[in-house]
């Protein structure tokens, strides 16, 4: 993965903007909210790196988050 792409405009900042605009329902709808969140992550993954498998992508993103340079 190109870690720079994750850290720039189309990366984590775009995910933040999407999540900020997302309306999650009240606490009685945890499953619906979780499904919505998973779908957002899937769409974000596809926008950034469509050729990579989602599991591989999420593992690499996790590694980026552990590094100081990957923290926002």
């Amino acid at each position: 993965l190109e870690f720079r792409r994750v850290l720039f405009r189309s990366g984590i900042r775009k995910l933040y903007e999407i999540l900020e605009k997302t309306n999650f329902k009240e606490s009685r709808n945890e499953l619906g909210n979780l499904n919505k969140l998973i779908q957002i992550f899937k769409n974000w993954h596809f926008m950034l790196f469509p050729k990579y498998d989602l599991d591989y992508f999420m593992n690499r993103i996790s590694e980026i988050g552990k590094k100081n340079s990957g923290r926002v």
Side-chain angles (χ1 to χ4, degrees):
L1 289 176
E2 293 178 37
F3 298 117
R4 292 175 304 211
R5 192 184 318 179
V6 172
L7 298 177
F8 288 120
R9 181 84 176 119
S10 62
I12 197 75
R13 290 183 182 156
K14 182 67 174 178
L15 178 62
Y16 179 80
E17 290 171 5
I18 293 168
L19 290 172
E20 194 172 49
K21 294 176 186 176
T22 302
N23 293 321
F24 292 102
K25 297 190 178 183
E26 295 179 23
S27 62
R28 291 183 157 183
N29 194 14
E30 290 91 356
L31 183 59
N33 289 338
L34 180 60
N35 285 332
K36 188 183 287 190
L37 184 61
I38 291 170
Q39 190 60 46
I40 289 169
F41 277 118
K42 285 180 178 180
N43 291 340
W44 179 62
H45 150 256
F46 191 76
M47 283 186 333
L48 283 176
F49 300 102
K51 68 179 182 176
Y52 291 114
D53 178 62
L54 180 63
D55 290 331
Y56 173 78
F57 174 79
M58 294 307 286
N59 287 332
R60 299 297 290 178
I61 293 297
S62 178
E63 289 177 22
I64 292 172
K66 292 176 185 176
K67 296 179 182 179
N68 283 336
S69 62
R71 294 188 182 173
V72 178

